[in-house]
Amino acid sequence: KLGVNMLKKIITIILIIGLALFIAIYYFFFDMGRLAEGTLISEESSPDGTYTVRAYLVEHGATVADAVRGELVFNNMVRKPKNIYWNYREEEAVIFWLDEDTVMINEKELDVPGEVYDFRQDNNR
């Protein structure tokens, strides 16, 4: 027969392990800050020059399809670039600015700097 204190300790340990597992899975599989660098294939600046979007081809070799990574560069701020686009099974990037804060990357419209596209979280695949 387990005491109340022992039961609380077991539940706490299970919750801590579950949280650690969740964080590890997110960090290694879904964190856009950990994407591979790739080779620069395209670059377009916003109409007012505030931002530049750079697109990189990430080649994974013979067993996994290529992907495109897009990063937002803050031209007028001291701020590190932010990954805003990640799509699998692509080899090129068409970047078009709709206005100073809205960019279209391969037909995906993003309001920058807040919005991102990550195919792993796209329910319409």
Side-chain angles (χ1 to χ4, degrees):
K1 189 173 179 181
L2 292 175
V4 175
N5 285 340
M6 183 59 111
L7 196 55
K8 285 182 181 180
K9 287 179 183 179
I10 291 171
I11 290 172
T12 302
I13 290 170
I14 289 171
L15 288 174
I16 290 171
I17 290 171
L19 181 62
L21 206 66
F22 173 79
I23 291 170
I25 288 170
Y26 177 82
Y27 180 76
F28 288 109
F29 296 104
F30 295 101
D31 182 13
M32 285 191 68
R34 296 185 38 81
L35 298 176
E37 177 108 4
T39 305
L40 183 65
I41 56 172
S42 184
E43 178 177 322
E44 288 293 328
S45 293
S46 62
D48 64 358
T50 301
Y51 307 108
T52 299
V53 171
R54 293 184 182 144
Y56 297 86
L57 175 63
V58 179
E59 298 175 282
H60 293 292
T63 59
V64 179
D66 295 339
V68 170
R69 178 180 67 86
E71 73 178 11
L72 182 68
V73 177
F74 300 86
N75 295 332
N76 302 327
M77 289 185 253
V78 179
R79 187 171 167 187
K80 75 178 205 172
K82 174 185 177 183
N83 287 325
I84 61 167
Y85 183 85
W86 178 244
N87 205 6
Y88 189 58
R89 298 186 191 273
E90 287 186 341
E91 295 180 358
E92 56 186 42
V94 177
I95 303 169
F96 179 76
W97 287 89
L98 301 175
D99 59 37
E100 288 80 13
D101 299 312
T102 310
V103 65
M104 189 86 91
I105 306 171
N106 291 348
E107 300 182 8
K108 304 289 186 201
E109 185 176 318
L110 301 172
D111 291 321
V112 295
E115 205 169 19
V116 300
Y117 176 77
D118 184 343
F119 80 93
R120 299 169 295 182
Q121 298 172 2
D122 186 356
N123 296 326
N124 300 320
R125 284 192 279 164

